[in-house]
Amino acid sequence: MTTAPELVKVRFALDQDEVGWPPVKSEGLWAASLGEDRFRVDNTPWFVRGIAADDVVEALAGSDGVLWATRRLEWAGRQTIRVVAHPDGPLNGDPAAARDLFVPLGLTGEIAPQYRMVALDVPPSTALAPVKALLVAGEEDGRWGFDEGCVSQEWMTL
């Protein structure tokens, strides 16, 4: 029987736009130490761009001991799509209801209820066209808006 690796928080500095989005200046993601300043991300980010679950990042401890990510070293093939449920739309702003529509397509997601947002985790083996079609349809009918946090070239060509 193997034991799960101990997880630590790795912080990612974020750049806020002129309206203050994202609403935080950094995000902490759980990660497993691989040694030599390398960490495998263990959850789906809400705000960090260009990172997805299972990616390997470099992180260095600051003077206060906080681990700060410096760069992505390896892409694991997973993708991150953020969906924000519209409060006046058919889902009444419910991010869990939005997430549940993607479960049959093989996706999971981490919910940030205070932002009506779900960060969808797209595994490498996922058929991407149905996912993108559902995202676009939901945006068109007012269920949500979405953001491509970490996507592949294949996704971009759809």
Side-chain angles (χ1 to χ4, degrees):
M1 184 170 170
T2 61
T3 60
E6 181 179 333
L7 299 179
V8 297
K9 281 281 185 169
V10 173
R11 296 215 66 82
F12 292 76
L14 302 173
D15 293 322
Q16 293 178 306
D17 65 18
E18 61 280 350
V19 296
W21 190 262
V24 294
K25 293 183 179 179
S26 70
E27 180 177 3
L29 299 178
W30 290 109
S33 176
L34 303 175
E36 298 179 9
D37 300 324
R38 296 166 42 96
F39 298 84
R40 183 172 311 283
V41 175
D42 193 59
N43 62 299
T44 305
W46 288 317
F47 303 114
V48 177
R49 301 193 65 75
I51 296 291
D54 290 339
D55 286 355
V56 175
V57 299
E58 177 184 67
L60 303 174
S63 60
D64 58 0
V66 174
L67 288 169
W68 286 96
T70 59
R71 62 189 171 125
R72 180 172 77 175
L73 299 172
E74 298 172 25
W75 179 52
R78 301 182 94 79
Q79 299 179 69
T80 302
I81 309 291
R82 290 179 278 269
V83 175
V84 177
H86 293 309
D88 56 350
L91 301 178
N92 297 312
D94 182 358
R99 179 201 53 210
D100 292 349
L101 293 171
F102 291 90
V103 170
L105 300 176
L107 279 60
T108 59
E110 296 202 24
I111 294 174
Q114 66 273 39
Y115 306 114
R116 298 182 320 278
M117 180 172 58
V118 58
L120 296 171
D121 174 47
V122 184
S125 60
T126 302
L128 298 179
V131 174
K132 195 161 195 179
L134 179 55
L135 286 165
V136 170
E139 188 169 63
E140 289 173 352
D141 70 16
R143 285 179 277 183
W144 53 63
F146 72 93
D147 172 63
E148 299 161 329
C150 180
V151 295
S152 66
Q153 189 60 40
E154 179 186 359
W155 175 272
M156 296 303 291
T157 61
L158 292 175

